[in-house]
């Protein structure tokens, strides 16, 4: 009999500490997400894979299985909790190559690079504002917004999912630090 291995998250085992937060701040280490960094001069080539137009600056978009996050003028991070890293990378390569047979396309699996944290609740924005320099008011950073920024001392990719609902992608090596930082910042609302 063979054992099936599942990717371990950098914040596995933190659920108890996150559960101790007040109801106005919810923190959750999300399950493993496959992540692929894509660089191309023609973003329309990948829209079929994503199931939505690729986002422009400071935004993200997504279909049913894949999310695309704008990282730069010709760079997007594709994520999926439904596909394996090899499946996502292969699909990005196939889709891009079919649409752009002569174009330059770079696709790199970066799944092990980051872990994903969900922060939501009435005081979620307040927690972020204690250590993030960008304007997080809904008129500036609402649903569909994305930013590469610092949170505390960690570089993160921050996604606005809705009112008081955020997804934070942080390098796995900084995940424990960021979790401690978020717990400390949220302690003000106990």
């Amino acid at each position: 009999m063979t054992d099936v291995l599942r990717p371990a998250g950098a914040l596995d085992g933190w659920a108890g500490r996150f559960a101790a937060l007040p109801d106005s701040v919810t923190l959750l280490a999300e399950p493993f997400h496959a992540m692929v960094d894509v660089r191309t001069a023609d973003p329309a080539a990948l829209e079929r894979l994503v199931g939505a137009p690729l986002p422009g600056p400071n935004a993200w978009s997504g279909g049913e299985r894949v999310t695309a996050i704008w990282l730069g003028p010709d760079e997007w991070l594709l994520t999926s909790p439904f596909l394996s890293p090899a499946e996502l990378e292969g699909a990005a390569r196939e889709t891009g190559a079919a649409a752009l047979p002569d174009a330059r396309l770079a696709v790199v699996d970066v799944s092990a690079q980051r872990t994903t944290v969900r922060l939501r609740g009435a005081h979620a924005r307040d927690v972020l504002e204690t250590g993030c320099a960008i304007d997080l008011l809904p008129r500036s950073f609402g649903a569909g917004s994305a930013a590469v920024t610092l949170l505390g001392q960690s570089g993160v990719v921050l996604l606005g999912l809705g009112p008081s609902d955020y997804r934070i992608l942080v390098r796995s090596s900084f995940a424990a630090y960021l979790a401690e930082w978020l717990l400390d910042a949220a302690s003000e609302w106990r």
Side-chain angles (χ1 to χ4, degrees), residues 30-38 65-69 71 76-90 92 107-117 157 159 167-172:
E30 291 191 333
F32 182 81
H33 287 228
M35 297 184 193
V36 173
D37 191 53
V38 178
R65 300 174 54 85
V66 178
T67 297
I69 304 162
L71 296 180
W76 291 265
L77 180 65
L78 304 182
T79 70
S80 177
F82 305 107
L83 300 174
S84 73
E87 291 171 330
L88 184 59
E89 180 181 11
V107 179
V108 179
D109 174 11
V110 293
S111 300
Q113 184 182 52
R114 295 181 180 97
T115 194
T116 307
V117 178
V157 177
L159 307 180
R167 179 168 286 135
I168 304 165
L169 285 68
V170 61
R171 291 194 183 272
S172 296

Side-chain angles (χ1 to χ4, degrees), residues 58 69-72 114 134 141 146-150 155-159:
N58 303 314
I69 304 162
W70 184 86
L71 296 180
R114 295 181 180 97
I134 63 174
F141 197 85
V148 177
T149 187
L150 285 176
V156 300
V157 177
L158 182 63
L159 307 180

